């Protein structure tokens, strides 16, 4: 097998596929996609519900349909792919070590690397929920895999902890499969899921959503027999006297997604504590030259449409790196200010042309507020915002003229 | 008719079983759960104690020291990870420093080598993350760590490879005594006959003793733990203990042999083998850890769990023949440092107690080495590729967090003692033991178990009994 490629893309999900296509179309055809599963498409393969592609294609596709548009694009271009292949490590000098059944353990030298490994679900174990550890405790994505990919129902009476999108989707999916979803508990005073999912997955099926509630105990020795749920105070501490027992045989956890950056760390790429992904420039290059990151491994997106968009940016960045080499940068640091949990990219290189789209998330639900972009004390620009919620990623466009006026760093904040 | 039947598949029963296979004896072990190492040996701190804790002259003191010395080579033979990381008993006041000197003196009387009281400056060099409040420590260089379930599984596996038989799901409910031995009955109606019985039933040991006509009360103490991601594995290098008080040893902070950090245990009296965690218990664990170390990365918690420790009011090991039933031997009250002492206990029980009933003839075919090394990821590149060439399933990563291959999972189901459920595979291979806690690999592992055992996927359990993963097919 070939041991050298211009660009190696780690992950054949939506991010990896879009990055490969855009790198190819930008003039670098020697591209290899490495995918650990048997099929390309990543997590989209198990997302058989619709609603994908509304932004990008102006139509509602299922996950596999959305993935197929990109898989077709990869096939048409004859971009090389290696499936059932797990990457074990990535080095700073862009060597990728991987393993599969046919080739064993092997190393590939790349000129540029695009990290597109996606994210994983935060596990039940991370929550320190009191009680037993019986069968019937699943992360929402694992349950989705059993139902949609394997054709098995994990349980019949379900309580869901966390109102992330996968949890909401699974509330509907389990209901359609004949299970009874008794409650969705959310520890925060708001859901982190999309508004449309609350309406379509819970409200339409009369599934109660309990905000400011959490599971305080899991019961059952072999299989789950029930949970105790409690209301929480503003510090997320359970309020004594509000406990309620719910009999169930299954608990699904939809308590957050974590970018899966083990390989990123193996390459020594600096990460942001806020996004748990790499620190990047606007072309999605990390702080190690020639290593790029995009999609949910970089920041957890709400919509796959934005993953594709970001991956295309990274693909172009990687292609330019291969074609023109490392170029000098004129760097501005981007900081998150008041009421903003993170901004991305964290660094802007003024030598790269074009408008920069600054993504950010807010820390809480805010109404009638103003987004302000400042450099030092000086307000560069501002925009009114009627409502902002943590569950929906926001963006702000920065023009070249605006960036030209910046001295050193910018800060994005939300003022009410 | 077996010569010897061991009741209880924990580390003590397992190592006794293995010790028995060194001689020409027909031996078996019964375990009430669907897998071995399901009680006390499933969830404990995994510490190889140096031996300064136990009172001078006790069995605990004696077997702790011998076990500590036996552990490195035993672990090597069984392919079990052991690390001689050293222990530190940390003092937070002048009074506690006094206690450290008492411990040191006690340890020296027990025969422990290399004990040394160090000051804060020295301590800080060894453990940069130690609390600002810590004033000194007792360094025990012979302290170590081992994985309790790995040791148990490997010893039973090695014993089986050497001819011992294992009966899981055998919950003893009756023992009939006869002239030349016993008939042991299980809840499910099975019967096994043996000339000599060894009661290693841990927290269930009191029940077995009463079936034999003896009255030994075995009580349980629950310990809750929190496990941190390998990413935080450099928090501490040594096993850190608080200076013991009248209330006990308190919470420890230690690396594990797999590179995680373990925090715990609590000590709560319990009625049965209840292994629930509680919010108060887990809060006590985190409070203890935060008192011991700065910057405890609790955000890197992977899981929390609880285990039981069996003890008797004697507070020393009970290693003796039954009063009421000649030909039965009790190994009970094996509380801390039981794991450390277990190899020495096994040797003693077989050489000094079983030997009274049989003339021990050496089994020339005994093979002490357990092969193969269970962890593919620790092999060299050449060894890995050689294995993949022979069996391509070693080229397929199933558990991405711990990088465990399909080949290892299949081997765990096929080899002694065979894994029959998700948790059993997890304990043998570490698949599902990592940061995603099986979120990605569980469906694959379940399919491999179903394939290997030739059962439908709905029949696969998390940990035996009725712990089925699934509730049927979708519409």
């Amino acid at each position: 097998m070939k041991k050298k490629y211009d660009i190696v893309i780690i992950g054949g999900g939506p991010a990896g596929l879009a990055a490969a296509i855009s790198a190819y179309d930008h003039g670098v055809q020697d591209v290899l996609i490495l995918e650990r599963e048997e099929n390309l498409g990543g997590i989209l393969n198990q997302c058989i519900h619709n609603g994908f592609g509304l932004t990008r294609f102006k139509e509602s596709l299922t996950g596999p349909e959305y993935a197929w548009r990109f898989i077709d694009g990869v096939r048409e271009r004859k971009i090389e792919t290696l499936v059932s292949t797990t990457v074990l490590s990535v080095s700073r000098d862009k060597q990728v070590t991987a393993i599969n059944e046919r080739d064993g353990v092997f190393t590939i030298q790349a000129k540029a690397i695009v990290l597109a490994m996606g994210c994983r679900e935060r596990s039940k174990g991370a929550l320190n929920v009191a009680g037993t550890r019986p069968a019937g405790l699943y992360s929402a994505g694992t349950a989705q895999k059993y139902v949609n990919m394997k054709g098995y129902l994990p349980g019949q009476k379900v309580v869901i902890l966390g109102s992330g999108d996968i949890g909401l989707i699974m509330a509907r999916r389990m209901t359609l499969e004949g299970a009874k979803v008794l409650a969705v508990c959310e520890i925060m005073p708001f859901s982190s899921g999309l508004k449309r999912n609350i309406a379509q997955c819970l409200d339409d099926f009369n599934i109660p959503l309990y905000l400011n509630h959490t599971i305080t105990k899991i019961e059952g020795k072999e299989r789950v027999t029930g949970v105790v749920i409690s209301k929480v105070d503003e510090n997320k501490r359970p309020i004594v006297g509000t406990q309620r027992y719910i009999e169930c045989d299954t608990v699904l956890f939809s308590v957050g997604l974590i970018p899966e950056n083990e390989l990123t760390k193996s390459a020594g790429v600096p990460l942001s504590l806020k996004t748990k992904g790499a620190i990047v420039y606007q072309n999605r290059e990390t702080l190690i030259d020639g290593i790029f990151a995009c999609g949910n491994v970089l920041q957890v997106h709400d919509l796959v449409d934005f993953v594709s968009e970001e991956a295309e940016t990274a693909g172009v960045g990687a292609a330019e790196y291969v074609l023109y080499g490392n170029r000098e940068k004129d760097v501005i640091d981007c900081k998150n200010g008041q009421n903003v949990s993170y901004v991305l990219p964290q660094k802007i290189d003024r030598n790269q042309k074009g408008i920069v789209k600054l993504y950010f998330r807010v820390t809480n639900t805010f109404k009638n507020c103003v987004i302000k972009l400042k450099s030092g004390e000086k307000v560069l620009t501002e925009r009114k915002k009627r409502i902002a919620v943590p569950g929906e990623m926001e963006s702000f466009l920065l023009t070249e003229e605006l960036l030209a006026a910046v001295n050193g760093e910018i800060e994005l904040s939300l003022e009410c | 008719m077996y010569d010897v039947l061991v009741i209880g598949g924990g580390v003590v029963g397992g190592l006794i079983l293995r010790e028995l296979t060194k001689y020409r004896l027909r031996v078996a072990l019964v375990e009430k759960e669907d897998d071995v190492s399901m009680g006390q040996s499933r969830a404990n701190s995994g510490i190889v104690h140096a031996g300064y804790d136990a009172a001078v002259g006790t069995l605990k003191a004696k077997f702790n020291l011998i076990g500590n010395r036996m552990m490195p080579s035993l672990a090597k033979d069984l392919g079990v990870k052991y690390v001689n990381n050293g222990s530190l008993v940390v003092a937070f006041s002048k009074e506690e420093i006094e206690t450290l000197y008492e411990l040191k003196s006690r340890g020296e009387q027990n025969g422990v080598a290399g004990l040394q009281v160090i000051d804060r400056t020295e301590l800080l060099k060894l453990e940069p993350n130690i609390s600002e409040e810590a004033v000194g420590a007792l360094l025990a260089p012979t302290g170590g760590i081992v994985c309790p379930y790995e040791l148990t599984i490997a010893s039973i596996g090695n014993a089986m490879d050497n001819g011992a038989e294992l009966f899981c799901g055998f919950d003893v409910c009756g023992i009939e005594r006869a002239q030349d031995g016993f008939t042991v009955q299980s809840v499910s109606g099975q019967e096994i006959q043996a000339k000599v019985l060894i009661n290693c039933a841990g927290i269930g040991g009191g029940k077995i003793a009463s079936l034999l006509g003896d009255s030994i009360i075995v009580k349980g103490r629950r310990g809750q733990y929190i496990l941190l991601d390998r990413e935080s594995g450099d928090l501490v290098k040594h096993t850190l203990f608080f200076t013991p008080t009248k209330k006990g040893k308190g919470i420890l902070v230690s690396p594990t042999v797999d590179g995680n950090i373990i925090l715990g245990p609590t000590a709560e009296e319990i009625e049965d083998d209840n292994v629930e965690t509680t919010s108060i218990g887990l809060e006590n664990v985190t409070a203890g850890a935060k008192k011991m170390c700065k910057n405890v990365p609790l955000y890197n918690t992977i899981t929390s769990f609880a285990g039981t420790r069996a003890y008797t009011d004697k507070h020393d090991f009970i290693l003796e023949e039954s009063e009421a039933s000649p030909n039965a031997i009790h190994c009970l009250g094996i509380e801390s440092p039981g794991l450390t002492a277990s190899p020495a206990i096994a040797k003693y029980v077989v050489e000094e107690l079983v030997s009274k009933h049989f003339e021990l003839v050496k089994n020339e075919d005994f093979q002490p080495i357990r092969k193969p090394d269970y962890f593919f990821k620790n092999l060299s590149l050449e060894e890995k590729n050689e294995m993949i060439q022979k069996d391509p399933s070693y080229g397929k990563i199933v558990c991405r967090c711990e990088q465990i291959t399909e080949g290892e999972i299949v081997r765990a189901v096929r080899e002694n003692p065979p894994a029959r459920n998700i948790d059993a595979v997890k304990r043998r291979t570490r698949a599902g033991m990592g940061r995603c806690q099986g979120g990605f690999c569980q469906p694959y592992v379940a399919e491999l178990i179903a394939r290997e055992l030739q059962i439908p996927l709905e029949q696969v359990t998390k940990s035996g009994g009725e712990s089925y993963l699934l509730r049927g097919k979708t519409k």
Side-chain angles (χ1 to χ4, degrees), chain B residues 42-357:
Chain B
R42 179 186 60 87
N44 68 61
S45 314
I47 308 303
V48 179
H49 292 278
Y52 48 78
D53 263 319
V56 178
T58 57
L59 291 179
K60 278 186 180 177
K62 177 179 163 188
F63 291 123
N64 184 341
L65 188 74
I66 307 171
N68 175 288
R69 289 176 183 162
M70 288 171 77
M71 197 61 85
S73 67
L74 175 69
K76 192 158 178 269
D77 280 354
L78 291 175
V80 167
K81 292 183 283 298
Y82 159 83
V83 182
N84 174 211
N85 65 324
S87 301
L88 287 166
V89 185
V90 182
F92 287 80
S93 67
K94 271 188 182 164
E95 293 73 37
E96 289 192 344
I97 294 278
E98 293 304 311
T99 313
L100 294 187
Y101 280 104
E102 286 166 29
L103 276 183
K104 178 170 180 279
S105 148
R106 190 199 298 168
E108 282 161 353
Q109 286 181 69
N110 286 343
V112 181
L115 293 173
Q116 194 190 341
V117 175
I118 58 172
D119 62 14
R120 177 170 170 83
T121 318
E122 285 296 309
L123 176 59
L124 208 55
K125 276 187 214 158
L126 296 178
E127 294 294 346
N129 289 319
I130 197 77
S131 157
E132 304 284 353
E133 315 290 321
V135 295
L138 174 68
L139 171 65
T142 56
I145 46 178
V146 71
C147 173
Y149 47 83
E150 205 178 72
L151 181 61
T152 308
I153 290 164
S155 60
I156 293 174
N158 183 242
M160 292 171 79
D161 293 343
N162 282 302
E165 287 177 67
L166 169 69
F167 300 90
C168 282
F170 193 108
D171 188 0
V172 175
C173 64
I175 299 175
E176 272 178 31
R177 279 169 279 168
Q179 191 68 38
D180 56 346
F182 303 89
T183 298
V184 180
Q185 294 142 344
S186 80
V187 172
S188 57
Q190 290 167 281
E191 286 191 348
I192 293 177
Q193 270 117 32
K195 290 177 192 159
V196 169
L197 292 187
I198 306 182
N199 173 12
C200 304
I203 200 145
K207 186 185 117 187
I208 301 296
S210 73
L211 290 175
L212 288 163
D214 294 327
S215 171
I216 302 174
I217 295 165
V218 179
K219 298 177 194 169
R221 199 178 285 135
R222 179 171 62 193
Q224 303 189 34
Y225 292 93
I226 290 174
L227 194 71
L228 305 183
D229 195 320
R230 272 190 283 126
E231 193 180 276
S232 300
D234 58 359
L235 177 71
V236 297
K237 289 180 200 69
H238 298 73
T239 301
L240 307 186
F241 296 94
F242 283 101
T243 304
T245 63
K246 280 179 189 136
K247 284 191 216 155
K249 283 195 278 193
I251 303 297
L252 63 81
V253 176
S254 179
T256 71
V257 285
D258 294 296
N260 299 89
I261 294 287
I262 192 167
L263 314 173
T266 54
E268 308 149 50
E269 305 300 317
I270 47 165
E271 293 296 318
D272 49 13
D273 55 352
N274 177 336
V275 286
E276 285 181 8
T277 55
T278 61
S279 7
I280 295 171
L282 295 174
E283 277 168 24
N284 287 341
V285 172
T286 54
K290 283 181 182 166
K291 183 163 187 261
M292 182 68 89
C293 292
K294 297 183 288 198
N295 316 319
V296 181
L298 290 168
Y299 57 85
N300 254 337
T301 297
I302 301 188
T303 191
S304 46
F305 57 91
T308 47
R309 288 108 79 187
Y311 71 96
T312 69
D313 284 336
K314 191 181 168 193
H315 287 295
D316 197 5
F317 303 151
I318 295 177
L319 306 169
E320 59 198 28
E321 305 218 286
S322 160
E323 278 181 27
S325 302
N327 303 339
I329 298 164
H330 295 301
C331 302
L332 295 176
I334 316 289
E335 56 183 318
S336 178
L339 175 66
T340 315
S342 57
I345 291 174
K347 199 165 152 43
Y348 170 80
V349 167
V350 174
E351 289 179 4
E352 305 297 328
L353 302 179
V354 175
S355 63
K356 292 183 186 168
H357 305 278

Side-chain angles (χ1 to χ4, degrees), chain A residues 96-163:
Chain A
V96 178
T97 302
I99 183 172
N100 68 28
E101 292 175 278
R102 196 192 58 201
D103 309 299
V105 181
F106 56 93
T107 300
I108 292 170
Q109 178 69 56
K111 287 182 188 157
I113 289 173
V114 179
L115 303 170
M117 293 88 74
C119 58
R120 66 164 180 270
E121 294 176 281
R122 196 159 156 239
S123 81
K124 173 253 159 192
L127 304 178
N128 278 348
V129 186
T132 52
R133 299 191 300 157
L137 310 176
Y138 291 105
S139 71
T142 310
Q144 188 179 48
K145 181 153 207 156
Y146 274 121
V147 175
N148 293 348
M149 306 294 281
K150 310 284 177 192
Y152 286 90
L153 194 62
Q156 277 136 356
K157 288 161 114 182
V158 186
V159 171
I160 298 178
L161 178 62
S163 60

Side-chain angles (χ1 to χ4, degrees), chain A residues 36-37 101 105 120 125 128 131 133 138 142 145-146 150-151 153 176-177 222-223 249 260 262 265, chain B residues 231 276-277 283 302 304 385 392 395 400 435 439 442 444 447 462 466-469 471-472 474-475:
Chain A
R36 59 190 155 205
E37 297 286 333
E101 292 175 278
V105 181
R120 66 164 180 270
N128 278 348
R133 299 191 300 157
Y138 291 105
T142 310
K145 181 153 207 156
Y146 274 121
K150 310 284 177 192
L153 194 62
L176 292 174
E177 285 298 338
E222 295 183 326
R223 177 87 197 190
D249 68 0
E260 203 162 42
E262 279 64 41
K265 288 176 202 162
Chain B
E231 193 180 276
E276 285 181 8
T277 55
E283 277 168 24
I302 301 188
S304 46
N385 279 327
R400 57 174 84 160
R435 48 183 71 96
Q442 196 208 63
Y444 293 111
E447 281 180 336
K462 179 177 181 283
E466 304 279 311
S467 65
Y468 299 111
L469 297 178
R471 288 283 199 234
T474 50
K475 282 181 180 173

Side-chain angles (χ1 to χ4, degrees), chain A residues 243-255:
Chain A
Q243 300 94 321
R244 192 150 71 82
Y245 179 77
I246 304 179
E247 191 189 311
C248 62
D249 68 0
T250 306
V251 185
L252 300 188
F253 294 87
S254 178
V255 287

Side-chain angles (χ1 to χ4, degrees), chain B residues 413-414 418-421 447-456 459-461:
Chain B
V413 181
R414 289 183 186 167
R420 314 207 151 264
N421 56 57
E447 281 180 336
L448 290 171
I449 292 172
R451 186 188 84 192
E452 288 297 310
L453 299 180
Q454 300 185 337
I455 55 172
Q459 294 296 316
V460 177
T461 65

